């Protein structure tokens, strides 16, 4: 039997960290059907343990890369 897994919806500014309320950049889906959301700080702090209990991990912390300010030239 093969089970297809639907891709996770992208995280938005409405998604908030379950620990502190900051914008979430990591979604951890649990085997019981629930999910946990974490900001980048708490994702780094608890990442190893979260990956041990996760069915899937949707990580968007890569969005936090420094980019040049609008209107500045190099």
């Amino acid at each position: 039997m093969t089970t297809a897994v639907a891709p996770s919806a992208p995280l938005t500014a409405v998604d908030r960290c379950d620990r502190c309320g900051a914008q979430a950049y990591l979604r951890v889906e649990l085997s019981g059907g629930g999910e946990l959301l974490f900001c980048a700080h708490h994702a780094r702090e608890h990442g190893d343990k979260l990956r041990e209990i996760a069915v899937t991990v949707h990580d968007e912390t890569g969005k936090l890369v420094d980019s040049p300010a609008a209107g500045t030239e190099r």
Side-chain angles (χ1 to χ4, degrees):
M1 180 168 123
T2 303
T3 304
V5 176
S8 295
L11 293 165
T12 68
V14 176
D15 296 309
R16 310 313 284 182
C17 176
D18 289 326
R19 290 282 293 160
C20 69
Q23 184 172 349
Y25 287 94
L26 186 89
R27 175 187 293 121
V28 178
E29 295 179 20
L30 306 171
S31 61
E35 70 178 21
L36 298 171
L37 301 174
F38 291 96
C39 65
H41 165 79
H42 286 111
R44 283 189 300 273
E45 184 177 339
H46 303 293
D48 293 337
K49 290 290 182 185
L50 291 171
R51 282 173 174 73
E52 289 177 11
I53 64 168
V55 172
T56 61
V57 175
H58 181 92
D59 187 346
E60 294 186 8
T61 55
K63 290 181 176 180
L64 297 172
V65 177
D66 288 341
S67 60
T72 60
E73 294 184 30
R74 292 186 167 190

